[in-house]
Amino acid sequence: MIALIARNTFREAVRDRVLAGIVLAGFALLALTRLASPLAMGEGLRLTVDLGLSGITWLGLVVVLMVGSSLVSKEIDRRTIFNLLSRPLPRPLYLIGKWAGLTAALWAVAAILGLALAGLLWLLGHGAWLPAIAQAVVLASLELAIVCSIAVMFSALSTPVLSALYTLGLVLAGQWTDDLRRFAEHAPGSLGKVLETVANLLPNLSLFNMRSLASLGTCTSVEHLLVAAGYAALYCGCVLLLGAAAFESRDFK
């Protein structure tokens, strides 16, 4: 049943014009980096890789905010959710299926834009950068899976606008968890413990950022990839479990 919901969600997301617009925006961003290369003072290649990988992350976030934040509420407004939940389908499985379908669509977008970036570098004669690009795209895809789980959780609990705002807030905060931990180390007493707890609860999105390495053509370690994959799986599981627990008690009447 989860596979069926995931497949339908994937098809619906792929047919959405937002996804096509995001892919075109990614291609346009790559073209823009090449036009701006003469102004980069010899750092044209680094600019292309950095902006290309940043585009995968931030354009994927746009998809999550525009599609994922209304993923469940749209079903409620259309009243199609009543047909689904009237069957012997547990609500947590429904939520997991929605997350899996949208995550698959995000990974498809990341793969397309990653292949476009890799193809551009290959045409420019920088094929040695391709392994690092592949690793960076994998990490960006894991990051998008976490962001998607957060959006799906809020979508099951709130309105689309509030879901988008909550998701965006957590994503922005998740970019600064390392700085927050360093600040907590120098904070006095209980304030430091509170800040450290907040930093541990926020998604550590900096773990998935290897744009600086990839722009130099340097690969990360296998241990880093395994830790990032494990963290993403654990964080997505916890967020979806929390969302499912709240969604289970929600009254649609």
Side-chain angles (χ1 to χ4, degrees), residues 162-234:
L162 290 178
S163 298
L165 291 176
Y166 294 153
T167 302
L168 180 60
L170 277 182
V171 169
L172 294 178
Q175 303 289 337
W176 302 97
T177 51
D178 289 342
D179 294 324
L180 188 59
R181 288 190 180 91
R182 284 192 290 268
F183 183 72
E185 293 176 357
H186 300 88
S190 58
L191 177 60
K193 295 181 180 179
V194 171
L195 292 177
E196 184 178 1
T197 301
V198 171
N200 291 332
L201 292 176
L202 289 172
N204 184 14
L205 300 183
S206 59
L207 178 64
F208 306 94
N209 182 1
M210 66 164 287
R211 290 191 292 271
S212 297
L213 284 177
S215 64
L216 299 174
T218 305
C219 292
T220 188
S221 63
V222 176
E223 290 78 8
H224 179 198
L225 294 175
L226 292 176
V227 168
Y231 178 84
L234 180 61

Side-chain angles (χ1 to χ4, degrees), residues 60-82:
L61 175 61
V62 172
V63 174
V64 171
L65 295 179
M66 298 186 68
V67 179
S69 59
S70 61
L71 202 60
V72 177
S73 58
K74 183 168 59 177
E75 296 275 3
I76 298 174
D77 293 339
R78 294 176 178 175
R79 307 187 71 82
T80 54
I81 194 172
F82 297 102

Side-chain angles (χ1 to χ4, degrees), residues 141-167:
S141 299
L142 293 175
E143 180 181 359
L144 290 175
I146 291 179
V147 176
C148 183
S149 68
I150 295 172
V152 169
M153 178 187 69
F154 285 131
S155 176
L157 304 177
S158 187
T159 62
V161 174
L162 290 178
S163 298
L165 291 176
Y166 294 153
T167 302

Side-chain angles (χ1 to χ4, degrees), residues 44-98:
L45 176 61
R46 188 170 182 176
L47 175 68
T48 298
V49 173
D50 200 346
L51 288 183
L53 294 175
S54 297
I56 293 175
T57 300
W58 292 106
L59 291 175
L61 175 61
V62 172
V63 174
V64 171
L65 295 179
M66 298 186 68
V67 179
S69 59
S70 61
L71 202 60
V72 177
S73 58
K74 183 168 59 177
E75 296 275 3
I76 298 174
D77 293 339
R78 294 176 178 175
R79 307 187 71 82
T80 54
I81 194 172
F82 297 102
N83 295 329
L84 290 171
L85 298 183
S86 62
R87 303 176 181 180
L89 171 66
R91 291 188 184 186
L93 297 185
Y94 166 80
L95 212 59
I96 294 173
K98 284 292 185 180

Side-chain angles (χ1 to χ4, degrees), residues 34 45 48-49 117-131:
R34 298 314 305 161
L45 176 61
T48 298
V49 173
L117 176 60
L120 178 60
L121 294 180
W122 183 77
L123 290 175
L124 294 174
H126 300 289
W129 267 250
L130 299 189

